[in-house]
Amino acid sequence: MSKITILKLGGSVVTRKSETGTINTIRIQEFAAQIAPIAKSVPLIIVHGAGSCGHPEAKHYHIQEGVTKSNAKGIAITHFAVRKLNEEFVLHLRAEGVDAICMHLICTSIAKNGRLVYSGEEQIKALLALGIVPVLHGDVVMDTVRGACIISGDQIVPAMAKALSATRVGVATDVPGVLAKGRVVPVISRGNIGTINLGDSVNTDVTGGMRGKVEELLLLADAGIPSHIFHISRIMDFLQDRDHGGTIIQ
Amino acid sequence: MSKITILKLGGSVVTRKSETGTINTIRIQEFAAQIAPIAKSVPLIIVHGAGSCGHPEAKHYHIQEGVTKSNAKGIAITHFAVRKLNEEFVLHLRAEGVDAICMHLICTSIAKNGRLVYSGEEQIKALLALGIVPVLHGDVVMDTVRGACIISGDQIVPAMAKALSATRVGVATDVPGVLAKGRVVPVISRGNIGTINLGDSVNTDVTGGMRGKVEELLLLADAGIPSHIFHISRIMDFLQDRDHGGTIIQ
C-alpha cells in the first residue's frame, strides 16, 4: 500500500464546545468537500474528537475515574453521543463521494488502565487497501483494569500511526499550532519540550487538551514518526505537504 | 461472571424478507418488551440476522465472491443497511430500560477466507461484566484472503459461545425448529444428521438458511456446547429453560 496519512480534527473543530451535543455541521460539510479529492486518491484515516458530543456525558458519569456497575450506564450514553457525531461526519463525506465508514473504538478496541492495547489495526488496514476511508473518533473503550475508560482521538492517532507505519500525521485544531507566549512554537522535540509552557494554549478538557496532544505525539516521535499540529484552515497545506504555519513534533 | 446466554433472532424475524430494507418494527418492539426483565438480570448477548436489510446489498455487490477495488463500495453500502436495523433494535431495547449497545462486526472482527478469526470477545466480555447487553449482527467483515466477506449471525453465535463459554445458546426463527417431512426434528447430533433432509426447512439465502445454521451449531456441539432452534413465539420458554417445542443440537 502507498503511504498512509492520518488526519485528526479536534473536538472543538467539529462540535460547538460551549453547547452540549451541538455538531458543527457547516464545518464538517466544508471539510468533507475540501478533502474529498484527496480522500478518494490516497490511503487516509480520519480521526475526530468528541468535543461537546461525549465529553459532557463522560464527565457526568465519571468514566475516567473507572467504571463499575454503579456508573456503567454512562458507557452507552457517552458512546451514543459521539456516535451520532461520527455518523453525521461519515454521511457528509459519503455525500461528497468519499467511500467513508464509521469505526467505533468501543467495538474495535480494548484498553488496559487507560491505554489502548488493541485498536482493530487489521480491519483498518484492510479497509485502506480497498480505498475505503475509516473514520475513527474518541470513544469509551472497555478496559481490563478500570472497567472502561475514555480513549481520546489524541491517543488513537499515534497508536494507529505506529501500528500501520503511517508517514503523514496531522492534527487540525482551532488554534494555529502549539502556542507559547502567544506565538506558534515551530518545532517541539524531547530536546526543547522542557522549556515550553504548554499551559498557554487551550483549556484542559477530559482528554487533556494541548498538553495531552503533545505528550501523545512525542511518544510517536520517539517511534520515529513526526507529526504536525496546525489550524483547521491549513488542512490542505498539510495534505499537500506545504508549510502549514503550525508546529512539527519530531 | 454468571452463566452467559446467547440469543439469536433470524433476519426473517426482524425484517420483512420480501421487502428490501424493511425493518419489522412491531416484532422488535414486542421482543424488546418481552425480554427486558431477563436482559436486565442475566449476562445476555443478542445477535440478529440482516434479512432484507443487508442481504440484497451483499448479493448485488457480490461480496461473498470476494472483494477488490471494483466492488469495494458494496462494503459500506451493505454495512449501512444492516447498521440501521441494529441501531433501531438497540434503541427499542434501551426504550425498555435495557442497557443495550451496538456491536458491529465490521469494527470488531477480522476474517480469513470467510471464517471469523477474531470477534472482539474481550470487549464483549467486559460489557457483560458491567451488565450491558451487546447486540451483534450479521455484517460485512474484512477478510485477509478475500478482501471482505459476509459473516452471518449463524457464524457469530457459535464463535462467541465458544470464546465466552456460553451455557445457553438459542436461535429464534420463523419456523418451529428444524423441519424434516413437515415435522420438527427434536434432537440433531453428528449421529443422526446424515439421515435428515435439511432442504425441507426454509429458502436458502446468502448466509445459508437452515442448513447453514445447523452446520454452524454442530461445530458448537462438537465443542461441548448444545444449542436450541425454536419459533420466535417460544423465546421466553427458551430463556426460562422450559420446553420450547423446537430442536436441540447436541
Side-chain angles (χ1 to χ4, degrees):
Chain A
M1 201 184 316
S2 56
K3 296 171 174 181
I4 294 170
T5 298
I6 300 180
L7 174 60
K8 191 213 157 192
L9 281 81
S12 58
V13 163
V14 293
T15 67
R16 298 186 199 281
K17 274 218 162 180
S18 54
E19 299 164 55
T20 297
T22 310
I23 298 172
N24 194 332
T25 302
I26 293 167
R27 208 28 117 39
I28 293 172
Q29 278 174 328
E30 282 171 1
F31 168 77
Q34 190 180 31
I35 70 145
I38 286 185
K40 290 176 202 169
S41 61
V42 302
L44 175 67
I45 297 169
I46 297 175
V47 178
H48 63 79
S52 69
C53 299
H55 286 187
E57 293 82 359
K59 201 172 169 187
H60 178 78
Y61 288 99
H62 305 280
I63 304 287
Q64 279 305 57
E65 293 153 38
V67 179
T68 62
K69 284 196 173 180
S70 68
N71 61 338
K73 71 176 178 178
I75 293 175
I77 290 170
T78 303
H79 169 69
F80 276 105
V82 65
R83 174 187 185 87
K84 196 181 152 207
L85 168 65
N86 181 253
E87 287 185 336
E88 182 160 332
F89 205 117
V90 166
L91 291 176
H92 284 300
L93 285 164
R94 295 187 65 80
E96 296 291 340
V98 177
D99 192 4
I101 199 157
C102 305
M103 290 298 278
H104 309 296
L105 263 75
I106 199 166
C107 298
T108 61
S109 301
I110 193 89
K112 184 177 177 184
N113 219 359
R115 303 296 299 176
L116 282 173
V117 290
Y118 180 73
S119 316
E121 302 87 14
E122 282 193 83
Q123 294 87 298
I124 289 164
K125 197 172 170 181
L127 288 164
L128 291 171
L130 290 173
I132 299 167
V133 177
V135 184
L136 286 65
H137 58 88
D139 200 358
V140 187
V141 171
M142 303 313 290
D143 188 304
T144 55
V145 175
R146 298 184 193 172
C149 65
I150 299 295
I151 299 290
S152 68
D154 292 327
Q155 187 182 148
I156 303 165
V157 168
M160 206 48 70
K162 272 186 262 187
L164 301 181
S165 302
T167 48
R168 296 279 295 164
V169 176
V171 175
T173 73
D174 55 358
V175 290
V178 180
L179 301 177
K181 295 176 185 164
R183 304 184 69 160
V184 172
V185 184
V187 175
I188 293 180
S189 67
R190 291 279 175 209
N192 72 353
I193 183 68
T195 67
I196 301 165
N197 180 5
L198 292 173
D200 281 13
S201 277
V202 286
N203 297 327
T204 295
D205 63 24
V206 288
T207 64
M210 190 60 88
R211 180 178 301 278
K213 272 186 235 315
V214 172
E215 283 169 1
E216 295 290 351
L217 295 175
L218 276 171
L219 291 173
L220 184 60
D222 293 343
I225 303 176
S227 57
H228 305 254
I229 299 179
F230 47 84
H231 190 261
I232 176 82
S233 63
R234 307 296 292 270
I235 282 177
M236 293 310 288
D237 290 327
F238 163 73
L239 288 175
Q240 294 174 334
D241 211 358
R242 295 189 297 260
D243 175 40
H244 50 63
T247 301
I248 299 175
I249 317 273
Q250 65 185 27
Chain B
M1 200 185 315
S2 56
K3 296 170 175 180
I4 294 169
T5 298
I6 301 180
L7 174 60
K8 192 213 157 193
L9 281 81
S12 58
V13 162
V14 293
T15 67
R16 297 185 199 281
K17 274 217 162 179
S18 55
E19 300 164 53
T20 296
T22 308
I23 299 174
N24 193 334
T25 303
I26 293 167
R27 208 26 118 41
I28 293 172
Q29 278 174 328
E30 282 171 0
F31 168 76
Q34 190 180 32
I35 70 145
I38 285 185
K40 291 176 203 170
S41 61
V42 302
L44 175 67
I45 299 169
I46 296 174
V47 178
H48 63 80
S52 69
C53 300
H55 286 187
E57 293 80 1
K59 200 171 171 187
H60 179 78
Y61 288 99
H62 304 280
I63 304 287
Q64 280 302 59
E65 292 152 39
V67 179
T68 62
K69 284 194 173 180
S70 68
N71 62 337
K73 72 176 179 178
I75 293 175
I77 290 170
T78 302
H79 169 68
F80 276 105
V82 65
R83 176 187 184 87
K84 197 181 153 208
L85 169 64
N86 181 252
E87 288 185 335
E88 181 161 332
F89 205 116
V90 165
L91 291 176
H92 284 300
L93 284 164
R94 295 187 66 79
E96 296 291 340
V98 177
D99 193 4
I101 199 158
C102 306
M103 292 297 280
H104 309 295
L105 263 74
I106 198 167
C107 298
T108 60
S109 301
I110 193 87
K112 185 177 178 185
N113 218 0
R115 302 297 299 176
L116 282 173
V117 289
Y118 179 74
S119 317
E121 302 89 11
E122 282 194 82
Q123 295 88 297
I124 288 164
K125 197 172 169 181
L127 288 164
L128 291 172
L130 291 173
I132 299 167
V133 177
V135 183
L136 287 65
H137 57 89
D139 200 358
V140 188
V141 171
M142 303 313 291
D143 189 305
T144 54
V145 175
R146 298 186 193 169
C149 65
I150 299 295
I151 299 290
S152 67
D154 291 328
Q155 188 182 148
I156 302 165
V157 168
M160 205 49 70
K162 272 186 261 186
L164 302 180
S165 302
T167 48
R168 295 279 296 163
V169 177
V171 175
T173 72
D174 56 359
V175 288
V178 180
L179 301 178
K181 295 176 187 163
R183 304 182 69 160
V184 172
V185 184
V187 176
I188 293 180
S189 67
R190 291 281 175 209
N192 71 352
I193 183 68
T195 66
I196 302 166
N197 180 5
L198 292 172
D200 281 12
S201 275
V202 287
N203 296 328
T204 295
D205 63 23
V206 288
T207 64
M210 189 60 88
R211 181 179 300 277
K213 271 185 235 315
V214 172
E215 282 168 1
E216 296 289 352
L217 294 175
L218 275 172
L219 291 174
L220 184 59
D222 292 344
I225 303 176
S227 57
H228 305 254
I229 300 179
F230 46 84
H231 189 261
I232 176 81
S233 63
R234 307 297 291 270
I235 282 178
M236 294 309 289
D237 290 328
F238 163 72
L239 289 175
Q240 295 173 334
D241 211 357
R242 294 189 297 260
D243 175 40
H244 48 64
T247 302
I248 299 175
I249 317 274
Q250 64 185 26

